Structures are given as C-alpha cells and as structure tokens.
Coordinates of all heavy atoms in Angstrom, one line a residue:
K13 N -8.7 16.6 -0.6 CA -7.8 15.6 -0.4 C -8.5 14.3 0.3 O -8.0 13.4 0.8 CB -6.6 16.0 0.6 CG -5.8 17.1 0.0 CD -5.0 16.6 -1.2 CE -4.1 17.7 -1.8 NZ -3.0 17.9 -1.1
E14 N -9.9 14.5 0.3 CA -10.7 13.5 0.9 C -10.5 12.0 0.5 O -10.4 11.1 1.3 CB -12.2 13.8 0.7 CG -13.2 12.9 1.3 CD -14.7 13.3 0.9 OE1 -14.9 14.3 0.2 OE2 -15.6 12.5 1.3
L15 N -10.2 11.9 -0.8 CA -10.0 10.6 -1.4 C -8.6 10.2 -1.6 O -8.2 9.2 -2.2 CB -10.8 10.4 -2.7 CG -12.3 10.6 -2.6 CD1 -12.9 10.3 -4.0 CD2 -12.9 9.5 -1.7
E16 N -7.6 11.0 -1.1 CA -6.2 10.8 -1.5 C -5.7 9.5 -1.0 O -5.1 8.8 -1.9 CB -5.4 12.0 -0.8 CG -3.9 11.9 -1.2 CD -3.1 13.0 -0.7 OE1 -3.5 13.7 0.2 OE2 -2.0 13.2 -1.2
S17 N -6.0 9.1 0.1 CA -5.4 7.8 0.6 C -6.0 6.7 -0.1 O -5.3 5.6 -0.4 CB -5.7 7.7 2.2 OG -7.1 7.7 2.4
Q18 N -7.4 6.8 -0.5 CA -8.0 5.6 -1.2 C -7.4 5.5 -2.6 O -7.3 4.5 -3.1 CB -9.5 5.9 -1.2 CG -10.2 5.7 0.0 CD -11.7 6.1 0.0 OE1 -12.1 7.2 0.4 NE2 -12.5 5.2 -0.5
I19 N -7.3 6.7 -3.3 CA -6.7 6.7 -4.7 C -5.3 6.2 -4.6 O -4.9 5.3 -5.5 CB -6.8 8.1 -5.3 CG1 -8.2 8.7 -5.4 CG2 -6.1 8.0 -6.7 CD1 -8.3 10.1 -5.8
Q20 N -4.5 6.6 -3.7 CA -3.2 6.1 -3.6 C -3.1 4.6 -3.3 O -2.2 4.0 -3.9 CB -2.4 6.9 -2.5 CG -0.9 6.7 -2.5 CD -0.2 7.2 -3.8 OE1 -0.4 8.3 -4.1 NE2 0.5 6.2 -4.5
E21 N -3.9 4.1 -2.5 CA -4.0 2.8 -2.2 C -4.3 2.0 -3.5 O -3.8 0.9 -3.8 CB -5.0 2.4 -1.1 CG -5.0 0.9 -0.7 CD -6.0 0.7 0.4 OE1 -6.4 1.7 1.1 OE2 -6.3 -0.5 0.7
E22 N -5.3 2.5 -4.2 CA -5.7 1.8 -5.5 C -4.5 1.7 -6.5 O -4.3 0.8 -7.1 CB -6.9 2.6 -6.2 CG -7.5 2.0 -7.4 CD -8.4 0.7 -7.0 OE1 -8.7 0.6 -5.9 OE2 -8.7 0.0 -8.0
I23 N -3.8 2.8 -6.5 CA -2.5 2.9 -7.4 C -1.5 1.9 -6.9 O -0.9 1.1 -7.7 CB -2.0 4.3 -7.4 CG1 -2.9 5.2 -8.1 CG2 -0.6 4.4 -8.0 CD1 -2.6 6.7 -8.0
N24 N -1.3 1.9 -5.6 CA -0.2 1.1 -5.0 C -0.5 -0.4 -5.2 O 0.5 -1.3 -5.3 CB -0.1 1.3 -3.5 CG 0.6 2.8 -3.3 OD1 1.1 3.3 -4.2 ND2 0.5 3.2 -2.0
F25 N -1.7 -0.9 -5.2 CA -2.0 -2.3 -5.2 C -2.4 -2.8 -6.6 O -2.9 -3.9 -6.8 CB -3.2 -2.6 -4.2 CG -2.6 -2.6 -2.8 CD1 -2.8 -1.5 -2.1 CD2 -1.9 -3.6 -2.3 CE1 -2.4 -1.4 -0.8 CE2 -1.4 -3.6 -1.0 CZ -1.6 -2.4 -0.2
K26 N -2.1 -2.0 -7.7 CA -2.1 -2.5 -9.0 C -1.1 -3.6 -9.2 O -0.1 -3.6 -8.4 CB -1.9 -1.4 -10.0 CG -3.1 -0.3 -10.0 CD -4.4 -0.9 -10.5 CE -5.4 0.3 -10.6 NZ -6.8 -0.3 -10.8
T27 N -1.1 -4.4 -10.2 CA -0.1 -5.5 -10.4 C 1.2 -5.0 -10.9 O 1.6 -5.1 -12.1 CB -0.7 -6.6 -11.4 OG1 -1.3 -5.9 -12.5 CG2 -1.8 -7.3 -10.7
K28 N 1.9 -4.3 -10.0 CA 3.2 -3.8 -10.3 C 3.9 -3.4 -9.0 O 3.2 -3.4 -7.9 CB 3.0 -2.5 -11.1 CG 2.2 -1.5 -10.3 CD 2.1 -0.1 -11.0 CE 1.4 0.9 -10.1 NZ 2.0 1.1 -8.8
P29 N 5.2 -3.3 -8.9 CA 5.8 -2.7 -7.8 C 5.4 -1.3 -7.6 O 5.1 -0.5 -8.4 CB 7.3 -2.8 -8.1 CG 7.4 -3.8 -9.3 CD 6.1 -3.6 -10.0
I30 N 5.3 -0.9 -6.2 CA 4.9 0.5 -5.9 C 5.9 1.4 -6.6 O 7.0 1.3 -6.5 CB 4.9 0.6 -4.4 CG1 3.8 -0.2 -3.7 CG2 4.8 2.1 -4.0 CD1 3.7 -0.1 -2.2
G31 N 5.3 2.4 -7.2 CA 6.1 3.5 -7.9 C 6.7 3.1 -9.2 O 7.3 3.9 -9.9
A32 N 6.3 1.9 -9.7 CA 6.9 1.4 -11.0 C 6.5 2.2 -12.2 O 7.2 2.1 -13.3 CB 6.6 0.0 -11.1
L33 N 5.4 2.8 -12.1 CA 4.8 3.6 -13.2 C 5.3 5.1 -13.2 O 4.8 6.0 -14.0 CB 3.3 3.5 -13.5 CG 2.9 2.1 -14.0 CD1 1.4 2.0 -14.1 CD2 3.5 1.9 -15.4
G34 N 6.1 5.3 -12.2 CA 6.7 6.7 -12.2 C 5.7 7.9 -12.2 O 4.8 7.9 -11.5
S35 N 6.0 8.8 -13.1 CA 5.1 10.0 -13.1 C 3.7 9.7 -13.5 O 2.8 10.6 -13.2 CB 5.7 11.0 -14.2 OG 7.0 11.5 -13.8
L36 N 3.4 8.6 -14.1 CA 2.1 8.3 -14.5 C 1.2 8.0 -13.1 O 0.1 8.4 -13.1 CB 1.9 7.0 -15.3 CG 2.6 7.0 -16.7 CD1 2.3 5.8 -17.4 CD2 2.3 8.2 -17.5
E37 N 1.8 7.7 -12.2 CA 1.2 7.4 -10.9 C 0.7 8.8 -10.3 O -0.3 9.0 -9.6 CB 2.0 6.6 -9.9 CG 2.3 5.1 -10.5 CD 2.9 4.3 -9.4 OE1 2.8 4.6 -8.2 OE2 3.5 3.2 -9.8
N38 N 1.7 9.7 -10.4 CA 1.4 11.1 -9.9 C 0.3 11.8 -10.6 O -0.6 12.4 -10.0 CB 2.7 12.0 -9.9 CG 3.8 11.4 -9.2 OD1 3.7 10.7 -8.2 ND2 5.1 11.6 -9.7
I39 N 0.3 11.6 -11.9 CA -0.8 12.2 -12.7 C -2.1 11.6 -12.4 O -3.2 12.2 -12.2 CB -0.5 12.0 -14.2 CG1 0.7 12.9 -14.5 CG2 -1.6 12.5 -15.0 CD1 1.4 12.6 -15.9
A40 N -2.1 10.2 -12.2 CA -3.3 9.5 -11.9 C -3.9 10.0 -10.6 O -5.1 10.3 -10.4 CB -3.2 8.0 -11.8
L41 N -3.1 10.2 -9.6 CA -3.5 10.7 -8.3 C -4.0 12.1 -8.5 O -5.2 12.5 -7.9 CB -2.3 10.7 -7.3 CG -2.7 11.4 -6.0 CD1 -3.7 10.6 -5.3 CD2 -1.4 11.2 -5.1
Q42 N -3.3 13.0 -9.2 CA -3.7 14.4 -9.4 C -5.1 14.6 -10.0 O -5.9 15.3 -9.6 CB -2.7 15.2 -10.2 CG -3.0 16.7 -10.3 CD -1.9 17.4 -11.1 OE1 -1.0 16.8 -11.7 NE2 -2.1 18.7 -11.3

C-alpha cells in the first residue's frame, strides 16, 4: 500500500469529477 495515496491522488486529479469513472478508478488503483 506504499503508493496507494499517490495513485489515488493521481486518479482524483484527472480532468473529471472525483469518482466519475466509477469502477474504472477502482481497477486502476488495484
């Protein structure tokens, strides 16, 4: 889980509302 916060931050600050890509965001993090 060393990079979890960094990956999640990268996902969150893409040009979209947070969570707008739904399950795709979970898979990207996983």
Side-chain angles (χ1 to χ4, degrees):
K13 299 297 180 72
E14 179 185 356
L15 296 179
E16 183 172 21
S17 61
Q18 290 176 259
I19 298 170
Q20 190 63 60
E21 183 175 347
E22 187 73 14
I23 291 169
N24 289 346
F25 287 98
K26 297 296 185 182
T27 47
K28 61 173 182 59
I30 289 176
L33 285 176
S35 295
L36 299 189
E37 299 190 16
N38 300 331
I39 295 166
L41 176 60
Q42 182 181 2

